[in-house]
Amino acid sequence: MSRFDEQIDRKNTDSVKWDSIEETYQATDLLPLWVADMDFLAPSPVIKAFEEYSKKGLFGYSIIPNSLYQAVIDWQKRRHHYLLEKADILFSSGVVPSIALAVQSYTNEGDSVLIHDPVYHPFAAVVKENNRNLVRSSLTTENGHFQMDLAEMEQLIVAHAVKLFILCNPHNPGGRVWSKEELLAVGKLCQKHGVTVVSDEIHQDLVFAPHTFTSFQLVDPSFEAFSIVLTAATKTFNLAAIKNSMVFIKDPTLREQFQETQKRTMHGEINTFGYIGTEAAYNQGEAWLEELLPYLQENIQFVESYLAEHLPAVGVMSPEGTYLMWLDFSSFGLTDTELQTHFIEKAKVVLNSGIIFGSKGTGHMRLNIACPRATLEEGLARIVHSFN
Ligand SMILES: Cc1ncc(COP(=O)(O)O)c(C=O)c1O
């Protein structure tokens, strides 16, 4: 038995995933397989680091310790061959807040910002909330996997004078880990048209062999001049609550612009628990991650074989990374509202409705498989039963 098989009662812990659904759906018997956090305990060295800090009872303003910078530098070098210096690293209270800071730093109101369709839904929200013009390029599906449509992207970049492209690598919700060749092609396109790239790499550590993750900045040395990378330990180690992330900016001008926005919006200071959790996770969490990855992979295989056997009408996109699965229910002929209602009222399982990720998400649902296998099996059984 794996440590990840333990079914932990997350109810009444103020969890968005578990404790918000009763009010939203007026039901108490729903199984949540939605929000992208995991139903697993955090690595014990991280829990211990929080305990040690709390025990002292000293919660005054804190500096960012050099040991944290070193932990980030070591992790990126060891896991991703990405060489960083202290000066390249900024800290932030989250990847999504960092996307907002980037949009404010590198574009003006009314400027066009390009994202894919479908993609992690806060990308569109950040662009719209900041009064920028949202431009979306559809991903196509080839051999059961998403592909970028470079011709369409170029046409949109030119037609809308796009200033910024927000890339999601690995891709949420499709689980694509973009190859070096794909990143080179999209990077060259952005370079050619003077488009700054914000690369959201928060899922970088959750990648399954034989697939390998390449940071956008490692694709070509010239890419450092027009891109920034956002990542965090929070997705990898299930620490979303600590609100901590990193921004890697090699280009001095891009870095100054970002820091200026941080200063102007008073976004420079981060919760100390964020620093402590990130440092402990990177320095002492690797063994936990190495156990997690095969467990997630087995969960993915479990879903694939379960649905192939019991509900083959569902299209399953096999993820190369992330713990999210993109499921196609379009063959059932339901509208997006009907599909969502079916899941809540008949299946009694909460998934993310595909349509929130963009118009290409119609007829789809996003399943979070980062839970004990028994929980996953219960969820799948409910879904299968509801459709049969
Ligand atoms: C692609 C992507 N970016 C960002 C986030 C959230 O980042 P944060 O909690 O640091 O704002 C998520 C969470 O699911 C995500 O999938």
Side-chain angles (χ1 to χ4, degrees), residues 118-263:
V119 79
Y120 180 53
H121 50 292
F123 286 14
V126 167
V127 174
K128 287 192 221 157
E129 291 291 339
N130 283 279
N131 300 321
R132 270 63 172 175
N133 178 37
L134 181 67
V135 179
R136 306 194 70 141
S137 173
S138 296
L139 295 173
T140 59
T141 308
E142 279 164 45
N143 301 323
H145 285 108
F146 281 136
Q147 302 288 336
M148 300 189 209
D149 183 343
L150 292 176
E152 188 194 63
M153 286 181 75
E154 180 157 34
Q155 180 241 315
L156 291 169
I157 287 170
V158 172
H160 297 276
V162 165
K163 292 277 186 308
L164 191 77
F165 167 51
I166 311 172
L167 170 71
C168 194
N169 181 33
H171 180 261
N172 172 2
R176 265 314 307 280
V177 180
W178 301 112
S179 70
K180 195 168 177 182
E181 293 69 34
E182 288 169 306
L183 294 170
L184 182 67
V186 76
K188 289 277 173 205
L189 186 63
C190 291
Q191 194 170 33
K192 177 176 160 194
H193 295 286
V195 177
T196 304
V197 176
V198 173
S199 185
D200 176 342
E201 303 182 358
I202 196 169
H203 294 275
Q204 62 177 191
D205 299 309
L206 302 168
V207 169
F208 311 116
H211 305 284
T212 51
F213 167 79
T214 310
S215 171
F216 186 78
Q217 293 210 326
L218 286 191
V219 173
D220 186 290
S222 66
F223 286 9
E224 288 176 1
F226 65 95
S227 67
I228 74 168
V229 166
L230 312 179
T231 195
T234 52
K235 194 64 58 189
T236 309
F237 295 101
N238 204 25
L239 303 169
I242 67 171
K243 296 281 164 202
N244 185 262
S245 76
M246 280 77 65
V247 187
F248 302 145
I249 315 183
K250 297 258 184 185
D251 181 79
T253 308
L254 291 178
R255 190 163 59 235
E256 258 169 48
Q257 286 171 303
F258 193 93
Q259 282 175 307
E260 180 56 40
T261 311
Q262 273 187 314
K263 216 189 289 174

Side-chain angles (χ1 to χ4, degrees), residues 97-121:
S98 302
I99 295 172
L101 294 173
V103 165
Q104 290 169 20
S105 300
Y106 308 127
T107 65
N108 295 311
E109 287 206 6
D111 282 348
S112 293
V113 178
L114 177 66
I115 67 171
H116 283 140
D117 182 345
V119 79
Y120 180 53
H121 50 292

